[in-house]
Amino acid sequence: NAGVMQNPRHLVRRRGQEARLRCSPMKGHSHVYWYRQLPEEGLKFMVYLQKENIIDESGMPKERFSAEFPKEGPSILRIQQVVRGDSAAYFCASSPRLVGMEMNTEAFFGQGTRLTVV
Amino acid sequence: DQQVKQNSPSLSVQEGRISILNCDYTNSMFDYFLWYKKYPAEGPTFLISISSIKDKNEDGRFTVFLNKSAKHLSLHIVPSQPGDSAVYFCAAGINTNAGKSTFGDGTTLTVKP
């Protein structure tokens, strides 16, 4: 059972271009979370999706950022018109159900996509 | 306002001794707490968690202690091994969906042989 797969691992974009980050959750996992990590900081929650639905996007910037998790295929985090401040590591995590004690499950993280905006 | 704080950016410990990593939180709504370990160029790996209905949870060499009144938790690693050298993140969430967690900035643990 492959882990959470993120691609590309490294992505370089010029200011103003679009960045598309992909996340394939573990088999059987229908819950996907996206996090962003700026240098020297912890991970910051961005968005939580289930298949075909955005459940919680409270951590997502209001402009230029969007996410989807279609019925078929990977989850996509899309950043339009990138700026230097978007340079960060973007992590995706997946779980088979909600994470928590009662659910007795955890979220599994991918290796991340390191976005550099030049 | 940072809701989860790890005040020690780094910690150095001798192999075989105890490592104690600390974490403080401010949001009283948090009732589920997690520790993750992260190696460079990899994603975080879940280590251990604790619910607010407990004050201790143990898994092998790892024990997490929770002091709700002080809004403080700690991770104890005994005995520490060189392979434990990594960045450790404390995270807090609400039990109904702890996948949406608030992370601290991490503590870099170095275990010296």
Side-chain angles (χ1 to χ4, degrees):
Chain A
N1 188 8
V4 177
M5 303 300 292
Q6 289 188 249
N7 67 82
R9 290 291 308 277
H10 300 275
L11 181 61
V12 179
R13 283 288 176 267
R14 295 186 183 279
R15 281 178 294 172
Q17 290 185 319
E18 178 181 288
R20 292 172 68 90
L21 288 63
R22 295 175 190 78
C23 169
S24 296
M26 289 180 69
K27 186 177 180 180
H29 287 196
S30 59
H31 299 248
V32 166
Y33 307 84
W34 284 93
Y35 283 82
R36 175 166 65 174
Q37 184 185 23
L38 296 170
E40 309 301 324
E41 293 188 11
L43 283 73
K44 299 288 192 295
F45 168 80
M46 297 181 75
V47 62
Y48 161 45
L49 310 101
Q50 292 183 34
K51 278 289 186 181
E52 300 185 271
N53 291 303
I54 296 174
I55 308 300
D56 184 337
E57 55 182 349
S58 58
M60 196 95 105
K62 294 289 186 287
E63 297 177 351
R64 303 187 297 108
F65 285 72
S66 62
E68 62 178 14
F69 189 14
K71 185 176 180 181
E72 302 290 339
S75 175
I76 305 286
L77 180 67
R78 182 183 178 204
I79 311 172
Q80 295 178 289
Q81 300 173 338
V82 295
V83 300
R84 289 229 170 99
D86 297 332
S87 295
Y90 292 82
F91 291 97
C92 164
S94 75
S95 64
R97 51 192 175 275
L98 288 174
V99 176
M101 179 199 71
E102 295 173 4
M103 281 60 76
N104 193 29
T105 191
E106 60 178 276
F108 294 84
F109 280 83
Q111 292 184 301
T113 293
R114 276 147 189 83
L115 172 66
T116 302
V117 180
V118 297
Chain B
D1 176 37
Q2 197 165 7
Q3 298 185 61
V4 177
K5 294 181 182 179
Q6 295 177 254
N7 291 317
S8 298
S10 63
L11 175 68
S12 183
V13 169
Q14 204 67 35
E15 180 179 7
R17 305 295 290 268
I18 184 172
S19 294
I20 301 176
L21 296 98
N22 294 302
C23 178
D24 298 291
Y25 63 97
T26 58
N27 189 339
S28 301
M29 296 294 291
F30 291 146
D31 60 2
Y32 195 67
F33 305 89
L34 311 95
W35 284 94
Y36 289 89
K37 175 180 179 180
K38 185 180 179 303
Y39 294 116
E42 293 187 12
T45 302
F46 171 79
L47 266 180
I48 192 169
S49 62
I50 188 167
S51 164
S52 60
I53 63 172
K54 295 185 175 181
D55 54 18
K56 176 182 175 181
N57 188 26
E58 193 171 350
D59 184 1
R61 296 186 296 114
F62 302 92
T63 303
V64 56
F65 295 91
L66 175 63
N67 182 333
K68 289 188 292 292
S69 61
K71 293 190 176 68
H72 177 85
L73 62 155
S74 60
L75 175 68
H76 293 211
I77 307 173
V78 182
S80 301
Q81 300 173 354
D84 295 331
S85 297
V87 179
Y88 288 79
F89 289 101
C90 166
I94 297 173
N95 189 40
T96 50
N97 187 12
K100 176 189 174 183
S101 295
T102 300
F103 280 70
D105 287 346
T107 296
T108 300
L109 173 67
T110 303
V111 180
K112 297 179 179 179

